[in-house]
Amino acid sequence: MNETTPLLTTAQAADLLGVSPRTMEDWRRWERGPAYIRLGYKVVRYRLPDLESFVSAGAVAA
């Protein structure tokens, strides 16, 4: 991992994606949503490039 890549909290990632933190938790439980990093039992973080990839993968051509 690039040391300059910030790790975002669930709340920060949710805000960036325009969804609730609960939605992020549900996506993790259902194995959907963006890739995440687990840093312990309760500590979850997201990398910005993973969030950008998740959004790009959901793009639909007109």
Side-chain angles (χ1 to χ4, degrees), residues 5 11 13 20 26 36 54 60:
T5 302
S20 71
D26 287 343
Y36 61 92
F54 174 71
V60 178

Side-chain angles (χ1 to χ4, degrees), residues 21-58:
R22 178 61 191 252
T23 297
M24 301 294 287
E25 294 167 6
D26 287 343
W27 284 347
R28 287 196 306 267
R29 186 177 315 112
W30 300 330
E31 297 181 1
R32 300 176 57 180
Y36 61 92
I37 299 168
R38 187 169 295 278
L39 298 174
Y41 180 69
K42 292 186 176 184
V43 179
V44 173
R45 295 292 184 262
Y46 294 88
R47 289 184 283 214
L48 186 57
D50 292 334
L51 297 174
E52 291 169 342
S53 294
F54 174 71
V55 170
S56 294

